[in-house]
């Protein structure tokens, strides 16, 4: 089964947050990322859908 890879904007839309929030989560190490495009001035960042699901599960709190 193929893994889904999302852009920062797609992750932001899925989580209903600003893209800056997604970048903060990535740089804090809370959301794993994949860099695509070595040698470019700005690497393309992708996030696995499964990583987002694990992140969200880790943030759930019992009522």
């Amino acid at each position: 089964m193929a893994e889904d890879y999302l852009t920062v904007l797609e992750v932001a839309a899925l989580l209903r947050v600003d893209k800056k929030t997604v970048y903060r989560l990535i740089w804090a190490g809370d959301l794993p990322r994949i860099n695509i495009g070595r040698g470019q001035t700005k690497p393309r960042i992708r996030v696995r859908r499964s990583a987002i699901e694990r992140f969200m599960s880790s943030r759930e709190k019992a009522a």
Side-chain angles (χ1 to χ4, degrees):
M1 178 157 75
E3 180 78 44
D4 286 333
Y5 295 93
L6 305 173
T7 65
V8 170
L9 289 176
E10 291 170 331
V11 173
L14 185 65
L15 298 179
R16 295 181 182 167
V17 298
D18 190 76
K19 70 179 182 177
K20 290 179 184 180
T21 303
V22 176
Y23 281 115
R24 285 187 199 111
L25 292 170
I26 290 170
W27 302 137
D30 294 329
L31 192 58
R33 72 183 187 286
I34 298 169
N35 290 335
I36 299 174
R38 295 179 70 193
Q40 294 181 1
T41 56
K42 238 176 130 176
R44 305 294 189 252
I45 295 174
R46 299 293 182 268
V47 179
R48 286 186 179 146
R49 185 176 295 274
S50 60
I52 298 166
E53 291 168 3
R54 279 192 306 274
F55 169 76
M56 294 300 288
S57 293
S58 72
R59 298 291 191 205
E60 281 185 26
K61 295 189 179 194

